[in-house]
Amino acid sequence: MPTAILTGQPVPGSSIESDLRDLGFDVRTASDPADAEALLAAVPGEERVALVDARFVGHPHALRLGLTDPRFPLAAVPGAVTARAEGRQALTRALARETSAAGGTAHAGTPARTTLSVGDPAGVDSLADRIVTALDADGATVHRPELGSLVAAVPADPQARNEARQAVAAVDDEAVRLKSAVKARDGFFTTFFISPYSRYIARWCARRGLTPNQVTTASLLTALIAASCAATGTRAGFVAAGVLLIVSFVLDCTDGQLARYSLQYSTLGAWLDATFDRAKEYAYYAGLALGAARGGDDVWALALGAMVLQTCRHVVDFSFNEANHDATANTSPTAALSDKLDSVGWTVWVRRMIVLPIGERWAMIAVLTAATTPRITFYALLAGCALAATYTTAGRVLRSLTRKAQRTDRAARALADLADNGPLAELLARVLPAGRFPALLWAVAGAVLLPLAAWIDGPGWSVVLCAAVYVLLSSEAVARPLKGALDWLVPPLFRAAEYGTVLILAAKSDVNGALPAAFGLVAAVAYHHYDTVYRIRGDAGAPPAWLVRAVGGQEGRTLLVTVLAALLTAAQFKVALTVLAVAVALVVLVESIRFWVAAHQGGAPAVHDEGEPA
């Protein structure tokens, strides 16, 4: 149980002790800084501890935001500071210095003037606030949550206390908490058609002790039932599938809102939320394709094409963000224009809808599933995703060309990890001299050569030869650090080459079952690539080298598929794709689950993605 140490003179009628106990704290009282230091030393090092001024007046949710958020080692609001295990040493050091400077007893009960914000040195008038100033002086990172209209204050006298209490009464704590549960930046459909009521579902879940991970799992199960309904191939099944897909999306919004409402963030939860989103969408594509097949329409190529396009879109997003999030001198006229457009209300929503975020995308899929056919649904999805991909990629290319940014070694390493080159490319990179051409040129050449050869010649040894050249081009593309202005395009080009080659060769084999097998293989490999992204985002680094080698790397898998297509009959090729899909899925899933569960159990920092809607 976390411990809260109350410091300063208690005030008759104060609710601070009960508020802290409601938040799950074991409350202890210190008479002076020396007493607080002794109580702090008695708290086990792995537990959260908070120092709170006994004169604190404010909303319970202000305390919740400042003292219970699991994402930050150190956090503070006016009159209160908290530390997780990672921040305990810094807190202990700051308190020891304060105790020594105060002679062990001074300041703990000195009057304080009203403080409504953190960060003003003149407002440091309580032990907790002085500790925050000391932490800042030590260079420690102290999270200060945005309180908005919420009150957090240490009043100086009865009049100031009365004014602070009136300010607390004037603001509805629960209304603010509900509003803050909704993601600050979201899509049009989510903002206006889901969040107005899903936040209340989140509150209902919180009051019944449900966790975000449980809601995430319910969303996955609902989507899988929707996919099963679509697989029936009946009109009733398609209508039910569309309705259930929307229900799944409501639950998908609810899990994040529940996490923000109750501050239940975790590494495992972020991973489940991200991976389940992909699993739900791609399982639904498969369900639509199965349903169409029952009606005599083969749309597996469209389903696989939609998955390839959507995955490549995501890799563009991930690569661009990793290449630029810590770049120096990271400005451009294009970015400035984008910021100006964001200041005009209607352009914000138009631009968010053009990129076809998950809310708009799932709403479109659900309506078209219920009202039309799987083929029409996939045509619309491919057209929408192609427009979105063109818009976002073009904008990012313009930003990259017009900004004068110096890429860091970390960014170059992340791009190399996202490229997913395996043992063949590594070997060639060691024995061959690095080429003089830019990395992007090598990647473009490979991404055009191999799929084009597969499209023209189909399965055959000419494609195997082109695949061998592709391996060489892949090694050249990453032979030097990826620090060029457009080098973030290298990973998505590799994804397009690998996935596109599998799609084309399966379609060209002209045998029933080849495209579903290819769908399974691309899904397994895409999971590996998403897992790589989420590890990098969580500062856990890329997957272990043995895993990349075990699944061949992107160039090794691509070469293997072309060899299998040339060596085997069409029926045998279908079986080979199925076996390869199962093997890759087993290896990457087992290692991924092991890693994320171990990270969660090992107390990895809690995270929550507030980025662009995916």
Side-chain angles (χ1 to χ4, degrees):
M1 175 182 291
T3 299
I5 300 171
L6 280 178
T7 65
Q9 296 296 326
V11 178
S14 172
S15 64
I16 184 62
E17 286 195 42
S18 61
D19 288 342
L20 289 170
R21 289 194 176 95
D22 288 343
L23 294 176
F25 284 92
D26 176 25
V27 181
R28 303 176 188 179
T29 302
S31 58
D32 53 46
D35 194 13
E37 185 178 10
L39 289 174
L40 176 62
V43 178
E46 68 276 7
E47 292 184 6
R48 176 189 287 274
V49 66
L51 293 175
V52 183
D53 195 297
R55 300 159 296 178
F56 178 88
V57 175
H59 288 96
H61 192 52
L63 281 174
R64 181 181 291 107
L65 290 171
L67 303 183
T68 68
D69 196 323
R71 295 174 294 176
F72 309 102
L74 294 163
V77 291
V81 59
T82 185
R84 286 169 45 94
E86 313 92 279
R88 281 288 295 276
Q89 185 177 2
L91 180 66
T92 301
R93 193 165 50 240
L95 179 56
R97 281 207 314 274
E98 180 61 30
T99 302
S100 176
T105 59
H107 301 314
T110 55
R113 65 181 179 82
T114 302
T115 306
L116 294 177
S117 63
V118 177
D120 176 12
V124 179
D125 44 30
S126 70
L127 178 61
D129 290 338
R130 293 199 306 275
I131 293 299
V132 173
T133 298
L135 288 169
D136 288 336
D138 288 342
T141 301
V142 181
H143 171 66
R144 294 167 168 85
E146 291 288 341
L147 298 182
S149 58
L150 295 176
V151 176
V154 180
D157 50 51
Q159 180 180 350
R161 176 171 294 278
N162 184 56
E163 292 173 354
R165 286 174 172 169
Q166 291 177 354
V168 170
V171 176
D172 186 343
D173 178 277
E174 181 62 17
V176 173
R177 188 179 178 189
L178 273 172
K179 183 178 180 180
S180 64
V182 178
K183 188 184 292 187
R185 179 181 176 88
D186 225 328
F188 179 86
F189 179 76
T190 304
T191 299
F192 294 104
F193 293 91
I194 303 296
S195 292
Y197 57 88
S198 62
R199 70 184 73 181
Y200 295 101
I201 301 176
R203 181 173 66 180
W204 183 90
C205 292
R207 291 178 175 177
R208 282 151 185 81
L210 297 177
T211 67
N213 290 353
Q214 291 171 332
V215 178
T216 300
T217 303
S219 175
L220 173 67
L221 294 175
T222 304
L224 294 179
I225 295 172
S228 299
C229 290
T232 63
T234 64
R235 177 51 51 194
F238 288 147
V239 172
V243 172
L244 287 172
L245 189 63
I246 294 297
V247 173
S248 175
F249 182 65
V250 172
L251 293 174
D252 183 56
C253 294
T254 300
D255 64 3
Q257 291 166 356
L258 174 58
R260 286 181 286 272
Y261 181 85
S262 56
L263 301 184
Q264 296 183 72
Y265 303 116
S266 71
T267 299
L268 182 64
W271 171 66
L272 288 176
D273 185 45
T275 55
F276 281 9
D277 278 351
R278 307 287 77 79
K280 288 181 289 189
E281 186 165 2
Y282 298 156
Y284 192 83
Y285 293 176
L288 277 178
L290 287 170
R294 286 180 178 272
D297 190 12
D298 186 355
V299 297
W300 275 106
L302 297 177
L304 180 50
M307 182 167 65
V308 169
L309 181 54
Q310 186 60 27
T311 303
C312 290
R313 277 188 63 201
H314 283 141
V315 177
V316 167
D317 295 341
F318 300 145
S319 295
F320 179 80
N321 291 334
E322 286 301 322
N324 293 285
H325 87 281
D326 60 353
T328 58
N330 203 0
T331 59
S332 76
T334 308
L337 175 60
S338 177
D339 292 339
K340 288 182 179 179
L341 289 175
D342 277 343
S343 65
V344 183
W346 66 271
T347 65
V348 174
W349 296 115
V350 170
R351 295 171 70 213
R352 291 189 192 179
M353 293 173 69
I354 287 177
V355 300
L356 203 65
I358 189 170
E360 276 75 357
R361 193 166 67 250
W362 282 26
M364 180 184 73
I365 294 171
V367 170
L368 291 177
T369 297
T372 64
T373 66
R375 180 172 290 274
I376 293 175
T377 300
F378 280 123
Y379 280 153
L381 179 62
L382 286 165
C385 287
L387 175 62
T390 302
Y391 172 79
T392 56
T393 304
R396 285 167 178 169
V397 167
L398 285 174
R399 289 191 183 199
S400 299
L401 292 175
T402 56
R403 78 174 21 139
K404 297 177 181 179
Q406 296 296 319
R407 302 253 155 58
T408 64
D409 291 337
R410 179 201 175 278
R413 180 68 259 169
L415 290 179
D417 291 334
L418 290 173
D420 192 36
N421 273 6
L424 290 177
E426 289 178 356
L427 177 62
L428 289 173
R430 284 196 297 267
V431 300
L432 296 176
R436 296 183 178 180
F437 295 106
L440 181 62
L441 184 60
W442 298 112
V444 168
V448 172
L449 171 68
L450 186 54
L452 185 61
W455 179 264
I456 295 173
D457 292 342
W461 292 107
S462 62
V463 178
V464 174
L465 178 61
C466 290
V469 175
Y470 174 76
V471 172
L472 177 62
L473 295 173
S474 297
S475 68
E476 290 289 347
V478 295
R480 291 180 292 182
L482 297 174
K483 293 187 175 183
L486 296 177
D487 283 355
W488 55 269
L489 284 168
V490 170
L493 285 168
F494 284 168
R495 296 298 81 75
E498 180 182 1
Y499 301 162
T501 299
V502 174
L503 166 60
I504 293 169
L505 290 178
K508 290 283 187 176
S509 67
D510 199 25
V511 61
N512 287 335
L515 279 167
F519 188 96
L521 175 58
V522 171
V525 174
Y527 176 87
H528 166 57
H529 290 143
Y530 280 117
D531 187 56
T532 301
V533 167
Y534 302 139
R535 293 189 193 218
I536 293 173
R537 276 186 167 184
D539 290 326
W546 72 261
L547 177 63
V548 177
R549 296 190 181 105
V551 296
Q554 60 88 19
E555 83 292 349
R557 288 187 301 270
T558 306
L559 178 62
L560 177 60
V561 169
T562 61
V563 171
L564 291 173
L567 278 176
L568 305 177
T569 65
Q572 292 171 333
F573 180 55
K574 174 187 70 176
V575 175
L577 286 178
T578 303
V579 171
L580 186 57
V582 172
V584 171
L586 283 176
V587 173
V588 299
L589 277 173
V590 169
E591 163 56 20
S592 176
I593 293 171
R594 181 210 63 78
F595 170 81
W596 289 104
V597 171
H600 177 70
Q601 294 175 341
V607 296
H608 192 74
D609 182 17
E610 294 289 344
E612 296 289 338

